[in-house]
Amino acid sequence: MSDSLAVLQKISFFQHMNDDALQSLLDVAEQVTHTSRSVIVEEDSPANGLFVLINGNAQVSKHDDAGNEVEIAILRKGDFFGEMALLDAGTRSATVTATTKCDLIKLNQDAFLQWLANADSRATLQLFAALTKRVRDTTERVLQDELNKQALESEMQIERHRALAQMVAGVAHEINTPLGIINTASNLITNRISGGEIQAIVANDRRTRRKVEDIEEAADLIQRNIERAHRLVQNFKKISVNQVTDTREPVKLVELVDDSVDLFRINARKSNLNTSIHSEVNDNAVWEGYPASMTQVIMNLLTNVERYAYTVMGGDIHIKLSESGESFTLTVQDFGAGIAPENLAQVMSPFFTTGRSKGGTGLGMAIVYNIVTDVFAGTIEIQSAVGEGTSVVINFPKQAPEKHKSIT
Ligand SMILES: Nc1ncnc2c1ncn2[C@@H]1O[C@H](COP(=O)(O)OP(=O)(O)O)[C@@H](O)[C@H]1O
Ligand SMILES: [Mg+2]
């Protein structure tokens, strides 16, 4: 049995037990022999104990999603399986088949629990320590897997935004040319209509004059809408950050945020908004970044608060700055209407707006998202509850990438 003792000692569960304790455990175990090709345990069958291979080889196999049996491991002398089944009564997660004649030690759950009841407290404690470590290792692995999955998902989300932004910018570029042509043509109409020749003709002809006035009005309408379309196209282009001509420079972050908020002052007064800045960052702290982009981000956020959070009578806007390690955090918080849960996931998608009737284009947050993730290499998170308000939290490194990824 000393061979078996050595094998048992290798099992993490029993690692710290002394020889006496292990021997007493072996005393309650059985020795079993399996002929070649016989099944030792079967997948999904009730599991009730630990097996240790003392001699011979066995194969571990499992059914995959398609129902095919796949070999996942080969067991050799000294290998063991089913140690967790000593404690819980689950089912076998795989089938183990002897590939040669196999000698095994089989420790039944009942026998083990009986042994545990009589074991001295030190052995019990050691067992629990080993078990705890095993649980902790598994938890850590699961946690790490989850973190990896989340990182992948946010990477995919950034990619999706990038692709969409690229498309929008492309469309904007294409629309620009026909827009230019329409502009020239409508200018021509306006010029010709207001020219002396036509005005002379209509001077004495009231009916024709009215028609010409209609044309003038229509041409004016076209002009104004071309301007509007032009502004939209400019916005569409901004969505793609390679349109940003900003260059990286060291700036005092607190001052930059102050100045940006200042630009909003007229709107704030008009809409009864009370903006306050709480900074935990030193006034002289430097951000190696893109000031014009930062101003744009802040303006877009504040404009949204004005437009969506406080539609009736204004309210407070808290702007917070903090730092930790290598990054800054900028939070813009309002205590207004909030965002409905079903909209929350979409607010950063281009063209998503609940304010189409108020002139919303749904581009503001998409631009903010792209600037933060691409230009600042940062992250953005929105927390919101209907009736309580919205917080946009932007975290970005103290040094932005010198050349951000361009979208071309
Ligand atoms: N502070 C806020 N409070 C409530 N809703 C907001 C806020 N900020 C953004 N939203 C919602 O997100 C949507 C998208 O915003 P945005 O991309 O800036 O587009 P737009 O301003 O053109 O509607 C808005 O239509 C609004 O529904
Ligand atoms: Mg907006």
Side-chain angles (χ1 to χ4, degrees):
M1 269 288 197
S2 74
D3 222 14
S4 319
L5 204 66
V7 168
L8 273 194
Q9 253 156 359
K10 288 204 194 110
I11 302 179
S12 58
F13 261 36
F14 306 134
Q15 220 169 37
H16 304 287
M17 278 188 207
N18 60 31
D19 287 1
D20 284 351
L22 277 181
Q23 187 57 56
S24 66
L25 196 56
L26 268 182
D27 291 343
V28 300
E30 303 168 48
Q31 285 251 25
V32 291
T33 300
H34 275 264
T35 54
S36 173
R37 282 206 284 264
S38 65
V39 172
I40 303 169
V41 301
E42 192 160 11
E43 185 176 352
D44 293 333
S45 68
N48 74 338
L50 162 80
F51 285 85
V52 184
L53 196 52
I54 302 296
N55 266 311
N57 292 332
Q59 172 199 308
V60 184
S61 60
K62 199 173 164 45
H63 287 96
D64 66 10
D65 291 343
N68 302 314
E69 180 134 1
V70 196
E71 182 185 317
I72 52 177
I74 294 286
L75 301 179
R76 297 190 173 78
K77 176 180 173 164
D79 288 338
F80 55 90
F81 56 91
E83 72 278 23
M84 292 307 276
L86 285 176
L87 292 163
D88 64 3
T91 54
R92 297 288 179 195
S93 56
T95 297
V96 181
T97 314
T99 48
T100 65
K101 175 176 171 282
C102 287
D103 295 320
L104 303 114
I105 296 175
K106 184 179 180 206
L107 182 56
N108 270 329
Q109 189 185 26
D110 283 347
F112 173 72
L113 293 178
Q114 187 68 49
W115 171 86
L116 195 61
N118 298 322
D120 71 41
S121 56
R122 240 192 74 210
T124 318
L125 277 180
Q126 283 162 346
L127 195 73
F128 274 106
L131 189 67
T132 310
K133 180 175 182 312
R134 166 116 185 200
V135 171
R136 186 175 296 136
D137 287 352
T138 309
T139 311
E140 260 165 32
R141 209 183 50 234
V142 169
L143 218 77
Q144 192 56 46
D145 283 355
E146 188 56 32
L147 283 177
N148 291 346
K149 207 174 101 201
Q150 279 179 11
L152 186 71
E153 268 167 17
S154 71
E155 191 63 32
M156 275 163 57
Q157 198 190 10
I158 289 177
E159 272 316 313
R160 268 201 299 277
H161 272 267
R162 194 170 280 150
L164 205 51
Q166 188 179 353
M167 198 189 80
V168 170
V171 169
H173 181 78
E174 290 304 319
I175 286 177
N176 238 356
T177 312
L179 207 56
I181 296 170
I182 298 173
N183 191 29
T184 312
S186 89
N187 271 333
L188 185 104
I189 293 173
T190 313
N191 283 341
R192 288 288 149 85
I193 290 276
S194 55
E197 246 169 277
I198 293 203
Q199 293 302 326
I201 293 172
V202 300
N204 303 316
D205 180 344
R206 269 185 54 202
R207 277 183 58 195
T208 313
R209 189 166 71 225
R210 197 158 299 147
K211 282 184 184 146
V212 168
E213 277 166 5
D214 284 350
I215 296 174
E216 275 173 343
E217 232 167 75
D220 186 49
L221 199 66
I222 292 174
Q223 275 297 313
R224 274 189 282 134
N225 277 282
I226 288 171
E227 271 159 34
R228 187 158 160 239
H230 182 73
R231 275 199 307 275
L232 281 175
V233 164
Q234 290 312 107
N235 266 334
F236 291 172
K237 282 180 160 183
K238 269 190 217 149
I239 253 198
S240 148
V241 287
N242 73 330
Q243 303 289 334
V244 176
T245 49
D246 216 3
T247 49
R248 190 180 77 174
E249 55 181 290
V251 280
K252 289 183 179 175
L253 184 65
V254 178
E255 208 170 282
L256 172 63
V257 172
D258 256 347
D259 291 348
S260 305
V261 173
D262 236 22
L263 289 175
F264 191 70
R265 178 161 295 166
I266 295 171
N267 285 44
R269 196 173 302 138
K270 192 183 71 196
S271 304
N272 260 323
L273 300 170
N274 179 26
T275 55
S276 56
I277 302 178
H278 311 259
S279 173
E280 291 164 15
V281 174
N282 188 292
D283 281 354
N284 291 316
V286 168
W287 173 52
E288 289 268 353
Y290 298 84
S293 295
M294 179 60 82
T295 301
Q296 165 127 49
V297 164
I298 291 172
M299 289 304 277
N300 287 10
L301 295 180
L302 294 179
T303 308
N304 280 348
V305 174
E306 180 185 20
R307 198 184 264 164
Y308 299 106
Y310 299 121
T311 46
V312 192
M313 48 191 258
D316 289 341
I317 308 179
H318 289 183
I319 295 147
K320 280 179 245 164
L321 266 178
S322 62
E323 65 182 309
S324 95
E326 286 308 297
S327 64
F328 291 116
T329 303
L330 169 73
T331 306
V332 176
Q333 182 176 19
D334 67 63
F335 308 88
I339 300 170
E342 67 270 23
N343 291 343
L344 199 54
Q346 301 192 67
V347 291
M348 290 189 278
S349 304
F351 303 117
F352 175 82
T353 177
T354 56
R356 190 93 48 209
S357 61
K358 299 185 243 178
T361 56
L363 296 172
M365 289 305 291
I367 292 172
V368 168
Y369 179 90
N370 284 337
I371 290 177
V372 171
T373 56
D374 263 11
V375 183
F376 300 172
T379 58
I380 175 166
E381 200 187 315
I382 305 183
Q383 295 144 3
S384 189
V386 172
E388 287 176 25
T390 304
S391 273
V392 179
V393 184
I394 293 171
N395 195 279
F396 52 101
K398 290 184 176 173
Q399 187 173 44
E402 187 162 16
K403 276 203 185 104
H404 46 78
K405 276 186 206 152
S406 68
I407 300 174
T408 43

